[in-house]
Amino acid sequence: LNMSDNGMGDEAGFSIADPLESRNQTLTYLDISGTGISTITICALAQTLKRNCTLRSLILDTNRITQLPEPQDLANAVFNDHDDLVADPEEGIISDDSEEETEEPASEGGEQDSDMEEEEAGGYVPAPTQANGAVILPEDAAEHAIDVITNRYHRLEGMEALRDVLHTNSSLTELSVANCALDDPSFKILADGLLQGNNASLRRLSIERTDVLGEKGSLMVKGLIIESRALEDLNLGGTNPLVAERAILALEQTTRLKCLDLSRCELGEDMVTMLYDSLAKNAQCPLERLSLAGNTINSSSLKWMEQILALPHLPLQALDLGSTMDMAQWPEQGCLAMRRFGAAVAASPRLKRCGFSGNGLGDAAAAVLAAELKAATTLEDLDITRNRIGIPIPTLFEGVHRSSGGRVWVASHPQTPAA
């Protein structure tokens, strides 16, 4: 079920929980990314996820899951979906913690102010009105709604609810909270759900575009890679260099992680060198897929990538180096670099997919690469889109196609016009 990018917010978010009840035996995938939900919807979802035994993938990207809703969204959600907040056109809004008013004799000073008495006893505020399906609250009613909801929820309660789900739910295998502004406290709660609860089902986790994690958060990423019982696929794309560094160091000890995305993490040559050291030290490293796309790799860094491909114990099958270099700036080194890199790809005993898009690859360097790849024995997919190749790709890579018996597929469109 894909409901992404529809702006439903918390008002409709509560109703999503219904299909996840234990009686549903069919729903396996739910995408509600970019819908404007906040922590109160996550709490509602979590209650049903504890009982659901079919959902495998939950995508929550680009939502406000570590924040309370805005006042108007809060009004819509609270007054439309919370039965314990009663709206009465005449009596106003009575909060759930209200108690029956008891009559007390008036003070000697005269009658008490009736409005003040109702407010103290029952939490009275003016009733909301409807306009085009939205709840419009008087200013004091909005303030009251905020008070009620903030007393009931706090900003990280949704993350705590997800943590409890990870402790108990055994069907969920994929969770994505990309671009959700996770900070150190919120990520710690999530990590605790995977580690302290000994979660043995979640295999894929994405915290892509989470660039605010600090020292503590980066250390928790490292611990998650090393200690998780089930995690095999971790997307850290668009996080910061500190997080990427801790993830690279964790590769020295991991025995389970198979896929790691470090794209757009501002990595340079020093990080690529560190990556080689970590992978070389771990003879049991199970890494099969690695993305470094969108980082900065120069000719020296590319040599380290060649060394990684040559590691005899590493089961690497897919490597993405897209948009990592501009070979137009290597007029003298470009062909030599492609000859070495092409030879490393061809000699790799397991590599099936290689991404080299958007790297300014010109005709001469592409021809050298194609000549080396004729010897490839495992390569199946080569992505050279968005380069500066003027020679028709079928002609350029005809020898590769023929020598592989048609096994290699070359993705080549669209191209950037040749300089």
Side-chain angles (χ1 to χ4, degrees):
L1 177 62
N2 190 335
M3 302 181 66
S4 60
D5 301 315
N6 63 20
M8 63 185 182
D10 289 309
E11 181 179 3
F14 284 100
S15 62
I16 297 176
D18 292 340
L20 302 180
E21 291 288 356
S22 57
R23 63 179 177 270
N24 185 294
Q25 299 298 319
T26 58
L27 190 65
T28 61
Y29 179 92
L30 178 62
D31 185 346
I32 50 175
S33 57
T35 52
I37 61 173
S38 72
T39 191
I40 62 176
T41 292
I42 300 302
C43 290
L45 283 172
Q47 290 302 313
T48 53
L49 281 173
K50 291 178 182 178
R51 300 186 293 272
N52 180 276
C53 60
T54 62
L55 193 69
R56 299 288 184 268
S57 301
L58 179 60
I59 314 299
L60 301 173
D61 303 349
T62 319
N63 280 305
R64 303 170 62 250
I65 64 174
T66 62
Q67 303 174 48
L68 291 174
E70 297 295 333
Q72 183 59 56
D73 296 334
L74 179 66
N76 293 337
V78 170
F79 289 99
N80 286 348
D81 295 281
H82 280 257
D83 295 334
D84 51 358
L85 293 176
V86 181
D88 186 291
E90 296 181 357
E91 300 298 330
I93 306 304
I94 309 298
S95 67
D96 61 324
D97 59 352
S98 63
E99 299 176 356
E100 292 185 3
E101 179 182 352
T102 57
E103 294 186 2
E104 295 181 2
S107 63
E108 295 180 0
E111 294 184 359
Q112 295 178 338
D113 183 82
S114 59
D115 290 340
M116 181 65 69
E117 183 179 3
E118 286 184 357
E119 182 177 355
E120 291 177 352
Y124 172 87
V125 293
T129 58
Q130 294 281 341
N132 297 324
V135 178
I136 307 301
L137 292 180
E139 182 177 353
D140 48 356
E143 292 176 357
H144 175 74
I146 294 170
D147 289 342
V148 170
I149 205 73
T150 51
N151 287 334
R152 186 178 309 174
Y153 299 99
H154 57 84
R155 77 172 186 94
L156 295 180
E157 189 153 351
M159 298 304 296
E160 292 173 353
L162 279 178
R163 175 195 61 197
D164 295 342
V165 167
L166 295 173
H167 283 175
T168 59
N169 184 290
S170 60
S171 68
L172 197 65
T173 61
E174 177 184 14
L175 175 63
S176 182
V177 288
N179 197 29
C180 286
L182 299 185
D183 53 11
D184 285 1
S186 55
F187 185 71
K188 181 182 186 304
I189 294 171
L190 184 63
D192 286 348
L194 292 171
L195 298 180
Q196 293 185 3
N198 290 319
N199 180 283
S201 63
L202 195 75
R203 288 176 171 77
R204 301 184 65 186
L205 175 65
S206 173
I207 59 170
E208 184 182 7
R209 290 171 288 166
T210 301
D211 58 357
V212 294
L213 289 181
E215 178 70 23
K216 292 181 179 179
S218 64
L219 289 173
M220 285 181 280
V221 168
K222 180 180 179 181
L224 197 60
I225 293 174
I226 296 172
E227 300 174 24
S228 173
R229 292 177 57 193
L231 191 64
E232 297 178 350
D233 187 334
L234 181 59
N235 187 342
L236 299 175
T239 57
N240 57 57
L242 183 59
V243 173
E245 179 182 352
R246 295 294 189 273
I248 289 172
L249 291 173
L251 293 176
E252 291 185 17
Q253 302 177 58
T254 183
T255 58
R256 183 171 293 276
L257 195 70
K258 295 181 179 180
C259 306
L260 180 60
D261 189 333
L262 294 176
S263 59
R264 310 180 313 282
C265 288
E266 302 179 21
L267 305 185
E269 182 178 357
D270 56 339
M271 290 289 190
V272 177
T273 304
M274 184 187 299
L275 177 63
Y276 169 77
D277 290 339
S278 293
L279 294 174
K281 291 176 181 177
N282 188 354
Q284 295 181 321
C285 182
L287 194 67
E288 296 177 358
R289 298 176 59 187
L290 175 65
S291 176
L292 299 176
N295 289 295
T296 301
I297 293 181
N298 55 27
S299 57
S300 299
S301 303
L302 197 59
K303 293 179 182 179
W304 288 111
M305 296 308 306
E306 296 160 14
Q307 295 298 315
I308 289 174
L309 289 173
L311 291 173
H313 62 270
L314 189 68
L316 193 65
Q317 298 180 21
L319 175 63
D320 188 357
L321 297 178
S323 301
T324 54
M325 61 196 82
D326 185 1
M327 298 197 66
Q329 298 181 4
W330 307 354
E332 299 179 357
Q333 299 172 306
C335 289
L336 178 60
M338 282 300 94
R339 178 171 289 110
R340 292 197 312 265
F341 182 72
V345 171
S348 173
R350 301 178 183 89
L351 194 69
K352 296 180 179 180
R353 296 176 177 85
C354 183
F356 210 75
S357 64
N359 284 328
L361 195 63
D363 288 348
V368 171
L369 177 63
E372 294 296 332
L373 292 182
K374 291 179 183 180
T377 58
T378 59
L379 189 67
E380 298 177 357
D381 187 341
L382 176 66
D383 183 357
I384 53 172
T385 58
R386 298 183 294 110
N387 279 293
R388 298 180 176 274
I389 304 172
I391 303 173
I393 297 300
T395 301
L396 190 60
F397 284 85
E398 180 181 4
V400 178
H401 184 79
R402 185 171 57 250
S403 63
S404 67
R407 182 189 68 248
V408 179
W409 180 76
V410 182
S412 58
H413 298 286
Q415 294 291 332
T416 300

